[in-house]
């Protein structure tokens, strides 16, 4: 039973446009959400996070939005750059088991020049 | 500062062989993790440890064993490798000091079991 779902395996956007990556979750006990970025042959690296007490967190070109009633979060990248081409993983932390992160399957973003 | 270091980076095994993957971190982190990444499956937690001498099962623990004899090291063992264990393995660590603290990942071990 997948608790964190990234339903789009891939996304392609033009350089300079907005990239929107989506993530849905089923567990109401999740209270922290994180996005990781992964390049081929490298480990995932942390990008941005959001607490469940907030609905938005911004860091430069990256903004994460959280809609708790819909159990949905999204990562916006504006403007998108070719160097943003990577696999993006959504992850969540459970209040009752905060030592573990549950990851989605990832979305491969391709930013075309 | 090396962060999280995994050895080896690549390995090919025959079915039934055994091996140990080593993870070392120099950030004094309490928590350490082993994940596997398979195409279309994302990152799945194998085992984790919340401190020296402690280990716990994750989502897909079968066929693997782990040990955390020293705080900085977390070993993942395959006693009898199977082709289904062909995967990319990632070690990660973090501090438990606050909620939602991020994981730091190693660069991965590509394992093929023939």
């Amino acid at each position: 039973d997948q608790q964190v779902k990234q339903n789009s395996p891939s996304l392609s956007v033009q350089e300079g446009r907005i990239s929107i990556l989506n993530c849905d979750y089923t567990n109401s006990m999740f209270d922290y959400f994180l996005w990781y970025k992964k390049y081929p042959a490298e480990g995932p690296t942390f990008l941005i996070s959001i607490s469940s007490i907030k609905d938005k967190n911004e860091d430069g070109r990256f903004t994460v939005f959280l809609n708790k009633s819909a159990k949905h979060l999204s990562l916006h990248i504006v403007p998108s750059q070719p160097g943003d081409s990577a696999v993006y993983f959504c992850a969540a932390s459970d209040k009752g088991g905060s030592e573990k992160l549950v990851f989605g399957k990832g979305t491969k973003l391709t930013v075309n020049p | 500062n090396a962060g999280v270091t995994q050895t080896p980076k690549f390995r090919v095994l025959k079915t039934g062989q055994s091996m140990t993957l080593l993870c070392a971190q120099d950030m004094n982190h309490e928590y350490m993790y082993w994940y596997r990444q398979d195409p279309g499956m994302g990152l799945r937690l194998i085992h984790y440890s919340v401190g020296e001498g402690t280990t716990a099962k994750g989502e897909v623990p079968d066929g693997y064993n782990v040990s955390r004899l020293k705080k900085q090291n977390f070993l993942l063992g395959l006693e009898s490798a199977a082709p289904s264990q062909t995967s990319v393995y990632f070690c990660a660590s973090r501090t438990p000091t606050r909620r939602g603290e991020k994981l730091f990942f190693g660069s991965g071990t590509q394992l093929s079991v023939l």
Side-chain angles (χ1 to χ4, degrees):
Chain A
D1 183 26
Q2 209 181 346
Q3 299 184 71
V4 177
K5 301 177 185 178
Q6 292 178 260
N7 292 319
S8 299
S10 63
L11 175 67
S12 183
V13 300
Q14 286 299 118
E15 181 178 4
R17 299 291 185 101
I18 184 171
S19 295
I20 300 176
L21 295 93
N22 294 305
C23 179
D24 296 296
Y25 62 96
T26 57
N27 188 342
S28 317
M29 296 293 286
F30 286 151
D31 64 343
Y32 265 91
F33 303 89
L34 303 89
W35 285 93
Y36 282 81
K37 176 179 179 179
K38 185 186 177 306
Y39 292 118
E42 294 184 10
T45 55
F46 171 77
L47 191 57
I48 192 169
S49 64
I50 188 167
S51 162
S52 60
I53 63 172
K54 297 185 176 180
D55 55 19
K56 177 182 175 181
N57 188 26
E58 193 171 353
D59 184 1
R61 296 187 296 114
F62 303 91
T63 303
V64 56
F65 296 92
L66 176 61
N67 181 335
K68 282 185 293 184
S69 61
K71 293 191 175 68
H72 176 83
L73 63 156
S74 60
L75 174 68
H76 293 212
I77 306 173
V78 183
S80 300
Q81 299 173 354
D84 295 329
S85 297
V87 177
Y88 290 79
F89 291 100
C90 173
S93 174
D94 186 330
K95 281 182 200 177
S98 61
E99 65 275 9
K100 294 185 287 184
L101 279 185
V102 179
F103 284 83
K105 294 184 177 182
T107 296
K108 183 177 182 180
L109 174 65
T110 302
V111 180
N112 301 302
Chain B
N1 193 340
V4 179
T5 303
Q6 293 182 232
T7 52
K9 294 191 182 303
F10 304 94
R11 186 71 187 268
V12 178
L13 291 178
K14 294 182 179 178
T15 297
Q17 286 185 317
S18 63
M19 78 161 295
T20 300
L21 282 67
L22 172 64
C23 177
Q25 53 94 5
D26 60 3
M27 297 173 282
N28 202 34
H29 285 168
E30 289 292 334
Y31 293 179
M32 295 188 74
Y33 306 81
W34 278 106
Y35 285 89
R36 60 178 287 175
Q37 186 195 9
D38 302 291
M41 299 298 291
L43 290 160
R44 294 183 293 170
L45 182 63
I46 304 171
H47 286 280
Y48 65 101
S49 168
V50 298
E52 183 178 320
T54 72
T55 63
K57 294 180 180 180
E59 184 185 356
V60 287
D62 294 342
Y64 305 96
N65 56 76
V66 288
S67 64
R68 183 98 180 269
L69 299 179
K70 293 183 178 180
K71 184 178 183 179
Q72 64 268 34
N73 295 337
F74 195 27
L75 279 63
L76 178 71
L78 287 74
E79 289 187 349
S80 179
S84 61
Q85 294 177 304
T86 294
S87 187
V88 181
Y89 292 86
F90 289 102
C91 177
S93 71
R94 74 172 179 95
T95 174
T97 51
R98 62 190 180 108
R99 298 281 301 120
E101 187 63 41
K102 63 187 180 185
L103 293 177
F104 291 83
F105 282 87
S107 59
T109 296
Q110 173 73 61
L111 175 66
S112 295
V113 183
L114 306 178

